[in-house]
Amino acid sequence: MISNIAVIGAGTMGHGIAESFALYGYKVRLYEVSDKVRETVKDDIKEELEFLVENEFIGQDKVNETLENITLYSDLKSAVKNADYVIEAAPEKIEIKQSLFKELDAYCKAETIFASNTSSLKLDEMSKLLSDDRKKRIMVCHWYNPAHLMPIAELSKFGNMSDETFKEVEDLYESIGKHTVKVLKDVPGLVANRIQQGVAREVFSLIEMGAASPDDIDKALKFGPAFRYATAGQLEIADMGGLDIWCAVGDNLLSVMDNSREANPILRQKVNEGKLGLKSGEGFFKYPPEKANELKNEFNRRLIIQLKTSRHYDK
């Protein structure tokens, strides 16, 4: 049974992962190499927890309790000592992952399960420098951002580990309210990101051809397909509508839809212009600096509403 958890990296994803486990009562050791990040990360977590209180997702008592469950470390060996489960959220560079896991292999007990939050790097490459025994206890556990709000966790089952080890991790994630997706093949992007990119490709294409304004395209998605996707998956939706209908529509539309194999030019142009979205103040929409935090909170508030609803939905 997993009880001692270590998280490597306290950035955007790492601190959210640590926060999620701590919120559900797990003792978490959070390792971060940057002094600056270590000094501020608990304030960031506290702000997110207070926002959950404000939106009636948790009680006020959970704030200090969660923070007390997280211990910060600047020394990796100390952070992972006696850990049952170690998940890394380090930069997405294969050399960094390989070196980190090799170091962890030397510091951790034989029973420790290793995990990576990556969705873009291959598991066999990341574990290349590990012993054969450790390779049987390493997996991908991919979270969605923001980690403390998005209820999905993609867990790899690529044939390298036993059913018992996988079930141990699956039970861990379900104990913190995550809906787990068992990924059976090491494909780039895993499952959820590939689905998301398929939608995004057509959305960017519609903007490029001037089919509708960004606002109306988002509206079409929110109150069309995404309205159903909130409670039903694509395969269930297809069954409900009739596979003969979906087949006919596919024959009519797919040949004229975007089939590009790289990012859309209009997206690349925005990046080249420094229009990166919320972080820069403008993307497809504008985000005045004085309203940026308010707009981010409103976005997260909608996620919390959906998260509350998903607690009562189990498919």
Side-chain angles (χ1 to χ4, degrees), residues 198-212:
V199 173
R201 180 170 62 181
E202 192 58 32
V203 164
F204 296 140
S205 177
L206 288 166
I207 293 173
E208 185 182 26
M209 69 175 70

PDB file of all heavy atoms in Angstrom, residues 198-212:
ATOM      1  N   GLY A 198      -6.777  16.866 -31.883  1.00  0.00           N
ATOM      2  CA  GLY A 198      -7.656  16.669 -33.037  1.00  0.00           C
ATOM      3  C   GLY A 198      -8.714  17.763 -33.116  1.00  0.00           C
ATOM      4  O   GLY A 198      -8.990  18.306 -34.200  1.00  0.00           O
ATOM      5  N   VAL A 199      -9.293  18.105 -31.971  1.00  0.00           N
ATOM      6  CA  VAL A 199     -10.281  19.192 -31.918  1.00  0.00           C
ATOM      7  C   VAL A 199      -9.606  20.522 -32.216  1.00  0.00           C
ATOM      8  O   VAL A 199     -10.111  21.327 -33.006  1.00  0.00           O
ATOM      9  CB  VAL A 199     -10.965  19.234 -30.533  1.00  0.00           C
ATOM     10  CG1 VAL A 199     -11.864  20.456 -30.418  1.00  0.00           C
ATOM     11  CG2 VAL A 199     -11.763  17.963 -30.288  1.00  0.00           C
ATOM     12  N   ALA A 200      -8.449  20.757 -31.578  1.00  0.00           N
ATOM     13  CA  ALA A 200      -7.754  22.034 -31.747  1.00  0.00           C
ATOM     14  C   ALA A 200      -7.359  22.275 -33.197  1.00  0.00           C
ATOM     15  O   ALA A 200      -7.451  23.405 -33.705  1.00  0.00           O
ATOM     16  CB  ALA A 200      -6.513  22.064 -30.855  1.00  0.00           C
ATOM     17  N   ARG A 201      -6.927  21.235 -33.889  1.00  0.00           N
ATOM     18  CA  ARG A 201      -6.513  21.394 -35.285  1.00  0.00           C
ATOM     19  C   ARG A 201      -7.649  21.953 -36.142  1.00  0.00           C
ATOM     20  O   ARG A 201      -7.459  22.859 -36.941  1.00  0.00           O
ATOM     21  CB  ARG A 201      -6.039  20.044 -35.849  1.00  0.00           C
ATOM     22  CG  ARG A 201      -5.597  20.129 -37.306  1.00  0.00           C
ATOM     23  CD  ARG A 201      -4.908  18.856 -37.751  1.00  0.00           C
ATOM     24  NE  ARG A 201      -5.790  17.686 -37.670  1.00  0.00           N
ATOM     25  CZ  ARG A 201      -5.385  16.450 -38.001  1.00  0.00           C
ATOM     26  NH1 ARG A 201      -4.140  16.239 -38.381  1.00  0.00           N
ATOM     27  NH2 ARG A 201      -6.227  15.452 -37.921  1.00  0.00           N
ATOM     28  N   GLU A 202      -8.850  21.434 -35.949  1.00  0.00           N
ATOM     29  CA  GLU A 202      -9.975  21.919 -36.743  1.00  0.00           C
ATOM     30  C   GLU A 202     -10.420  23.310 -36.304  1.00  0.00           C
ATOM     31  O   GLU A 202     -10.811  24.136 -37.127  1.00  0.00           O
ATOM     32  CB  GLU A 202     -11.144  20.934 -36.659  1.00  0.00           C
ATOM     33  CG  GLU A 202     -12.246  21.198 -37.668  1.00  0.00           C
ATOM     34  CD  GLU A 202     -11.757  21.165 -39.117  1.00  0.00           C
ATOM     35  OE1 GLU A 202     -10.813  20.399 -39.423  1.00  0.00           O
ATOM     36  OE2 GLU A 202     -12.315  21.916 -39.943  1.00  0.00           O
ATOM     37  N   VAL A 203     -10.335  23.590 -34.995  1.00  0.00           N
ATOM     38  CA  VAL A 203     -10.692  24.919 -34.492  1.00  0.00           C
ATOM     39  C   VAL A 203      -9.784  25.983 -35.091  1.00  0.00           C
ATOM     40  O   VAL A 203     -10.241  27.023 -35.587  1.00  0.00           O
ATOM     41  CB  VAL A 203     -10.610  24.946 -32.948  1.00  0.00           C
ATOM     42  CG1 VAL A 203     -10.578  26.373 -32.424  1.00  0.00           C
ATOM     43  CG2 VAL A 203     -11.799  24.204 -32.345  1.00  0.00           C
ATOM     44  N   PHE A 204      -8.467  25.752 -35.076  1.00  0.00           N
ATOM     45  CA  PHE A 204      -7.527  26.717 -35.643  1.00  0.00           C
ATOM     46  C   PHE A 204      -7.736  26.855 -37.154  1.00  0.00           C
ATOM     47  O   PHE A 204      -7.586  27.941 -37.717  1.00  0.00           O
ATOM     48  CB  PHE A 204      -6.088  26.304 -35.342  1.00  0.00           C
ATOM     49  CG  PHE A 204      -5.753  26.300 -33.876  1.00  0.00           C
ATOM     50  CD1 PHE A 204      -4.965  25.289 -33.337  1.00  0.00           C
ATOM     51  CD2 PHE A 204      -6.219  27.291 -33.026  1.00  0.00           C
ATOM     52  CE1 PHE A 204      -4.652  25.276 -31.980  1.00  0.00           C
ATOM     53  CE2 PHE A 204      -5.921  27.289 -31.667  1.00  0.00           C
ATOM     54  CZ  PHE A 204      -5.127  26.275 -31.149  1.00  0.00           C
ATOM     55  N   SER A 205      -8.081  25.753 -37.821  1.00  0.00           N
ATOM     56  CA  SER A 205      -8.337  25.794 -39.262  1.00  0.00           C
ATOM     57  C   SER A 205      -9.556  26.650 -39.587  1.00  0.00           C
ATOM     58  O   SER A 205      -9.560  27.416 -40.555  1.00  0.00           O
ATOM     59  CB  SER A 205      -8.532  24.366 -39.795  1.00  0.00           C
ATOM     60  OG  SER A 205      -8.840  24.376 -41.173  1.00  0.00           O
ATOM     61  N   LEU A 206     -10.606  26.529 -38.770  1.00  0.00           N
ATOM     62  CA  LEU A 206     -11.815  27.334 -38.988  1.00  0.00           C
ATOM     63  C   LEU A 206     -11.527  28.822 -38.827  1.00  0.00           C
ATOM     64  O   LEU A 206     -12.070  29.659 -39.560  1.00  0.00           O
ATOM     65  CB  LEU A 206     -12.907  26.895 -38.005  1.00  0.00           C
ATOM     66  CG  LEU A 206     -13.552  25.532 -38.285  1.00  0.00           C
ATOM     67  CD1 LEU A 206     -14.356  25.060 -37.086  1.00  0.00           C
ATOM     68  CD2 LEU A 206     -14.427  25.596 -39.531  1.00  0.00           C
ATOM     69  N   ILE A 207     -10.661  29.170 -37.870  1.00  0.00           N
ATOM     70  CA  ILE A 207     -10.269  30.573 -37.709  1.00  0.00           C
ATOM     71  C   ILE A 207      -9.500  31.039 -38.932  1.00  0.00           C
ATOM     72  O   ILE A 207      -9.738  32.122 -39.476  1.00  0.00           O
ATOM     73  CB  ILE A 207      -9.410  30.752 -36.443  1.00  0.00           C
ATOM     74  CG1 ILE A 207     -10.245  30.495 -35.192  1.00  0.00           C
ATOM     75  CG2 ILE A 207      -8.801  32.152 -36.379  1.00  0.00           C
ATOM     76  CD1 ILE A 207      -9.447  30.487 -33.910  1.00  0.00           C
ATOM     77  N   GLU A 208      -8.549  30.203 -39.389  1.00  0.00           N
ATOM     78  CA  GLU A 208      -7.708  30.559 -40.526  1.00  0.00           C
ATOM     79  C   GLU A 208      -8.526  30.821 -41.782  1.00  0.00           C
ATOM     80  O   GLU A 208      -8.244  31.750 -42.542  1.00  0.00           O
ATOM     81  CB  GLU A 208      -6.699  29.429 -40.783  1.00  0.00           C
ATOM     82  CG  GLU A 208      -5.686  29.742 -41.873  1.00  0.00           C
ATOM     83  CD  GLU A 208      -4.746  28.581 -42.120  1.00  0.00           C
ATOM     84  OE1 GLU A 208      -5.145  27.416 -41.856  1.00  0.00           O
ATOM     85  OE2 GLU A 208      -3.621  28.822 -42.579  1.00  0.00           O
ATOM     86  N   MET A 209      -9.565  30.024 -42.005  1.00  0.00           N
ATOM     87  CA  MET A 209     -10.384  30.206 -43.213  1.00  0.00           C
ATOM     88  C   MET A 209     -11.469  31.272 -43.036  1.00  0.00           C
ATOM     89  O   MET A 209     -12.193  31.581 -43.975  1.00  0.00           O
ATOM     90  CB  MET A 209     -11.012  28.878 -43.635  1.00  0.00           C
ATOM     91  CG  MET A 209     -12.083  28.349 -42.710  1.00  0.00           C
ATOM     92  SD  MET A 209     -12.906  26.834 -43.321  1.00  0.00           S
ATOM     93  CE  MET A 209     -11.617  25.621 -43.160  1.00  0.00           C
ATOM     94  N   GLY A 210     -11.567  31.839 -41.828  1.00  0.00           N
ATOM     95  CA  GLY A 210     -12.548  32.891 -41.588  1.00  0.00           C
ATOM     96  C   GLY A 210     -13.974  32.390 -41.525  1.00  0.00           C
ATOM     97  O   GLY A 210     -14.915  33.128 -41.837  1.00  0.00           O
ATOM     98  N   ALA A 211     -14.165  31.143 -41.111  1.00  0.00           N
ATOM     99  CA  ALA A 211     -15.505  30.554 -41.058  1.00  0.00           C
ATOM    100  C   ALA A 211     -16.375  31.190 -39.990  1.00  0.00           C
ATOM    101  O   ALA A 211     -17.609  31.261 -40.127  1.00  0.00           O
ATOM    102  CB  ALA A 211     -15.403  29.049 -40.812  1.00  0.00           C
ATOM    103  N   ALA A 212     -15.763  31.664 -38.916  1.00  0.00           N
ATOM    104  CA  ALA A 212     -16.489  32.317 -37.829  1.00  0.00           C
ATOM    105  C   ALA A 212     -15.466  33.022 -36.944  1.00  0.00           C
ATOM    106  O   ALA A 212     -14.257  32.791 -37.061  1.00  0.00           O
ATOM    107  CB  ALA A 212     -17.287  31.296 -37.010  1.00  0.00           C
TER     108      ALA A 212
END
